[in-house]
Amino acid sequence: MEDIEDLLIGNGSGSPPGFRLPLNAVGVNLKKNKNKPKLHAKQLSETPISSKIPGTQSDSEYMAGQLSSFGYSLSDSPEEADLWLINTCTVKSPSQSAMDTLISKGKSAKKPLVVAGCVPQGSRNVKELEGVSIVGVQQIDRVVEVVEETLKGHEVRLLNRKTLPALDLPKVRKNKFVEILPINVGCLGACTYCKTKHARGHLGSYTVDSLAGRVKTVIDDGVKEIWLSSEDTGAYGRDIGVNLPILLNAIVAELPSDGSTMLRIGMTNPPFILEHLKEIAEVLRHPCVYSFLHVPVQSGSDAILTVSPNVADLFFLVLLVASTYPVTVIPAAMNREYTVNEFRTVVDTLTELVPGMQIATDIICGFPGETDKDFSQTVNLIKAYKFAQVHISQFYPRPGTPAARMKKVPSNIVKQRSRELTSVFEAFTPYNGMEGRVERIWITDIATDGIHLVGHTKAYVQVLIVAQESMLGTSAIVKITSVGRWSVFGEVIETLNQINQKSKSVEKMLSEEKCSPCSDPCDSCACSGESEPCACGPESCGGQSTLEQSDVLQNEVLREDQNRRNLIGWLLRKRKNQAQKMVENGIASGSQKKQEWAKGAPEEWGVVDRALLGGLIVSVFTTVALLIHLGFKTMSSK
């Protein structure tokens, strides 16, 4: 499974919300540039403004990085490229269809082809892959070898491996502020419709130390968001004797003290987090962790979700011997290993324990055996929780899976159910009540309209703002001005680094904390306008929000003005305020001269300063002249 944030939502193309971009394709130029390799990656279609997060997956970034480090440039033009590299996903059937189309075009253009990802790993013997080089999902660190051999005219297939690829491979990030960090490969599930496990194998987890070390490295590189990536985040560590809370706490300990880098936990299925809900909730409350989790439910009916152990054995017997013993109809069930009530427990617990918690989920419409009653239960579940993000897909049979051999629901019914659930979901207004609220956001991307920057609140609500690109990679306090269906719009009140520059005392307070003041530190209640307690507690926030600290500074200035009401004091304060303003301008422009002014270096005075000083000097000389004149007049009278 991929993360829901990499799906399109409301793309205006007629496809249902959450339709997946199936794969990435790049062209590799054979000619090497010894000075500075040039790399260009291209997705099959552009990501709209409403997409939660545009970008490529971790495997694509690692492969691009290795090719770039070896001097290859990646081209946007397929015609000019010397080789085509296609990275695929096996979750849904459209990915394989798109792969087939690209392979056909590449063969027609007589281009050498390399196909990577889950599709060739799980379906290596399909006809379309004949004469094509293949890179397995655990062999991405050898993509350069495969490309070079393919360019020589050889067909290479690297699929099997016993060790995990290194985490420190060269990497080219689609978004330089976002690190997609794989914490494990494979999964422990046995879903009857999914081929991911067949492609990626059993669970294999990276060690806690290696992942924490990678986090420290990417933070030094300037990364502002870390996304944990996994087929099932909740299953992490069960193969090496640790668990997800242990990993999360180790990663949080590496996050910088200024709150500049946020952590986003990846997709997790319900079974493996049920026993750790309180520990996970504690991590999600941390001010440097987004209060957001993607938990797929897939159906609101236990009859569709579960399967008895003996039927599960039958399912995977079919998987192993399907080519010899064809089966036309077997009992329908997903074998998801949890019930609807257990899913509700996950959602209810996290919502109760984590202020502002946002849950995203997935639904498959028209799974084999789904009745009108089953579908009605799914609709009622979605209506009950009114999730802000729901990825709705129609069932696609994956060749070789047990579900592919089940009796299918008629396609017209599947489409009708998908449209009905989509209408229900799109009628929700999850962000009503946010208008007028003040939120902290982290800004990491440019919207596809080229006008707005994209930021997220701590609850991972997408906020669009009009601001300079220099704000990318920063955090800011914004006021929500309007709300839409997929995102909200905000107006920047202040960037936090500017606020922190206003006083060394504020900077000192922030440096003493492990993380910055909480996002949404005193989250306003939409109905009452009252403040709720800070999620991380007064100790973590220093007892004050950033805005409150700014107010304290302003009050101190006002008291100082009241105590110094004379011309000299006013002039000195005027001078000090102008110097401070020059510091802030210097931060924005990087001007060294303006920063030297703030440090006390000599600089030319402004017109106002000269006029004030001139007036003061004239006043002093006039007073002295009058005193001298009075003195002479007194003496002459005597």
Side-chain angles (χ1 to χ4, degrees):
M1 290 281 183
E2 308 293 347
D3 277 1
I4 196 172
E5 295 75 37
D6 298 304
L7 312 174
L8 301 183
I9 298 181
N11 55 27
S13 63
S15 58
F19 186 75
R20 183 184 305 275
L21 287 178
L23 66 165
N24 300 315
V26 297
V28 180
N29 287 334
L30 175 59
K31 186 176 179 180
K32 296 186 179 182
N33 184 339
K34 294 183 179 180
N35 297 324
K36 188 175 182 180
K38 195 175 183 181
L39 182 107
H40 299 286
K42 181 182 180 183
Q43 288 186 280
L44 291 180
S45 62
E46 294 298 324
T47 306
I49 190 173
S50 55
S51 173
K52 295 312 291 181
I53 291 289
T56 58
Q57 292 301 303
S58 181
D59 287 358
S60 297
E61 293 182 350
Y62 275 123
M63 288 189 288
Q66 291 173 83
L67 291 166
S68 176
S69 67
F70 272 81
Y72 290 99
S73 63
L74 272 69
S75 173
D76 288 331
S77 174
E79 294 77 17
E80 296 178 0
D82 299 288
L83 177 143
W84 289 8
L85 171 61
I86 305 168
N87 192 27
T88 66
C89 169
T90 191
V91 176
K92 296 290 189 295
S93 187
S95 179
Q96 185 163 338
S97 300
M99 180 198 74
D100 295 345
T101 300
L102 278 176
I103 289 175
S104 178
K105 289 182 178 180
K107 287 181 177 178
S108 299
K110 300 189 182 303
K111 299 288 185 181
L113 298 173
V114 176
V115 179
C118 294
V119 171
Q121 184 80 54
S123 306
R124 65 190 71 179
N125 296 320
V126 297
K127 182 179 179 181
E128 287 75 16
L129 292 176
E130 293 178 1
V132 174
S133 292
I134 293 175
V135 182
V137 293
Q138 295 186 28
Q139 297 277 9
I140 59 173
D141 55 342
R142 299 181 65 184
V143 66
V144 176
E145 298 175 52
V146 177
V147 165
E148 291 185 341
E149 289 301 316
T150 304
L151 287 168
K152 294 176 184 177
H154 302 151
E155 180 183 338
V156 183
R157 296 197 165 200
L158 295 178
L159 293 170
N160 299 320
R161 182 176 185 150
K162 295 182 179 180
T163 59
L164 297 173
L167 289 171
D168 59 353
L169 294 173
K171 192 171 188 178
V172 174
R173 299 183 183 93
K174 178 69 174 179
N175 185 329
K176 68 178 183 179
F177 298 113
V178 177
E179 166 74 6
I180 303 174
L181 180 62
I183 62 173
N184 55 20
V185 297
C187 70
L188 294 175
C191 302
T192 59
Y193 57 85
C194 182
K195 209 166 184 178
T196 298
K197 183 170 184 177
H198 184 56
R200 292 191 173 262
H202 292 284
L203 183 68
S205 302
Y206 289 95
T207 65
V208 172
D209 289 343
S210 65
L211 291 167
R214 179 63 181 174
V215 167
K216 185 176 181 180
T217 298
V218 301
I219 289 173
D220 292 339
D221 290 342
V223 162
K224 302 302 179 184
E225 284 189 5
I226 298 170
W227 301 354
L228 301 186
S229 174
S230 170
E231 280 75 47
D232 186 353
T233 301
Y236 169 80
R238 288 174 177 259
D239 57 318
I240 58 174
V242 294
N243 57 43
L244 181 61
I246 292 174
L247 172 65
L248 295 179
N249 285 311
I251 290 177
V252 165
E254 297 296 337
L255 299 178
S257 59
D258 62 359
S260 58
T261 303
M262 293 293 287
L263 175 68
R264 195 194 78 190
I265 303 175
M267 186 276 291
T268 179
N269 289 312
F272 300 115
I273 62 170
L274 281 167
E275 63 187 276
H276 300 301
L277 285 178
K278 290 185 178 180
E279 296 96 322
I280 292 174
E282 183 177 356
V283 173
L284 289 167
R285 289 195 300 267
H286 191 282
C288 293
V289 180
Y290 285 121
S291 304
F292 170 86
L293 199 61
H294 173 204
V295 187
V297 64
Q298 305 298 6
S299 175
S301 168
D302 284 341
I304 296 299
L305 288 178
T306 58
V307 61
S308 61
N310 59 322
V311 176
D313 293 340
L314 174 60
F315 282 162
F316 285 91
L317 177 63
V318 171
L319 179 62
L320 294 173
V321 301
S323 59
T324 307
Y325 303 100
V327 180
T328 56
V329 179
I330 58 177
M334 292 181 175
N335 193 33
R336 291 285 291 170
E337 301 178 345
Y338 60 86
T339 64
V340 175
N341 281 338
E342 288 174 327
F343 171 78
R344 287 179 180 271
T345 297
V346 171
V347 176
D348 293 342
T349 302
L350 293 180
T351 302
E352 177 185 355
L353 297 180
V354 183
M357 183 70 195
Q358 291 282 326
I359 302 285
T361 195
D362 299 348
I363 295 292
I364 297 176
C365 290
F367 188 84
E370 183 184 66
T371 64
D372 289 341
K373 180 181 178 181
D374 296 326
F375 177 69
S376 178
Q377 291 174 343
T378 298
V379 172
N380 291 337
L381 179 68
I382 299 302
K383 284 183 177 179
Y385 286 100
K386 292 182 171 59
F387 298 105
Q389 297 179 40
V390 181
H391 173 217
I392 302 168
S393 64
Q394 300 174 24
F395 171 75
Y396 291 100
R398 300 295 296 120
T401 61
R405 309 190 68 81
M406 299 176 186
K407 185 176 181 179
K408 299 175 181 58
V409 176
S411 60
N412 62 318
I413 296 178
V414 175
K415 292 177 181 178
Q416 185 273 329
R417 289 175 180 173
S418 178
R419 286 193 296 266
E420 180 181 340
L421 187 57
T422 298
S423 297
V424 169
F425 165 61
E426 289 185 336
F428 297 158
T429 55
Y431 306 130
N432 278 6
M434 287 191 66
E435 189 169 352
R437 286 174 56 178
V438 174
E439 299 274 356
R440 181 179 181 180
I441 66 170
W442 287 261
I443 306 163
T444 57
D445 214 338
I446 303 174
T448 54
D449 64 356
I451 299 174
H452 294 88
L453 299 186
V454 181
H456 291 88
T457 68
K458 186 174 189 303
Y460 211 64
V461 176
Q462 179 175 270
V463 182
L464 303 178
I465 61 172
V466 177
Q468 297 295 322
E469 290 187 19
S470 58
M471 286 193 67
L472 286 172
T474 68
S475 182
I477 301 296
V478 302
K479 181 178 181 180
I480 306 303
T481 57
S482 62
V483 301
R485 175 58 186 88
W486 313 110
S487 57
V488 302
F489 293 84
E491 181 180 80
V492 177
I493 297 175
E494 191 92 55
T495 57
L496 290 185
N497 54 340
Q498 288 176 335
I499 291 177
N500 294 342
Q501 288 288 337
K502 287 186 177 181
S503 169
K504 290 184 178 179
S505 63
V506 175
E507 191 175 277
K508 183 179 179 181
M509 281 194 297
L510 292 177
S511 67
E512 290 175 352
E513 307 301 332
K514 179 58 192 172
C515 193
S516 68
C518 290
S519 169
D520 313 328
C522 294
D523 199 7
S524 298
C525 175
C527 57
S528 67
E530 297 177 356
S531 296
E532 296 179 359
C534 177
C536 60
E539 294 81 4
S540 179
C541 289
Q544 292 177 311
S545 71
T546 304
L547 289 178
E548 289 171 341
Q549 294 165 351
S550 179
D551 291 340
V552 169
L553 292 177
Q554 293 173 2
N555 291 336
E556 290 176 354
V557 172
L558 290 175
R559 286 194 296 270
E560 184 182 357
D561 287 339
Q562 293 170 355
N563 294 333
R564 297 185 181 180
R565 298 191 177 188
N566 58 73
L567 182 61
I568 300 296
W570 182 84
L571 177 61
L572 293 176
R573 287 196 304 277
K574 173 76 176 175
R575 184 75 181 148
K576 179 180 178 181
N577 290 340
Q578 284 199 345
Q580 184 177 4
K581 184 177 291 186
M582 295 302 291
V583 172
E584 294 174 352
N585 292 337
I587 292 171
S589 64
S591 172
Q592 184 175 358
K593 289 185 178 180
K594 294 176 182 178
Q595 291 174 352
E596 289 175 352
W597 181 322
K599 295 177 182 178
E603 189 60 77
E604 185 179 359
W605 284 32
V607 175
V608 175
D609 288 331
R610 292 185 178 190
L612 290 170
L613 183 59
L616 178 61
I617 293 173
V618 170
S619 298
V620 171
F621 276 109
T622 301
T623 302
V624 172
L626 287 172
L627 290 174
I628 293 173
H629 175 71
L630 290 173
F632 278 114
K633 188 174 181 180
T634 302
M635 291 175 62
S636 62
S637 63
K638 291 181 179 180

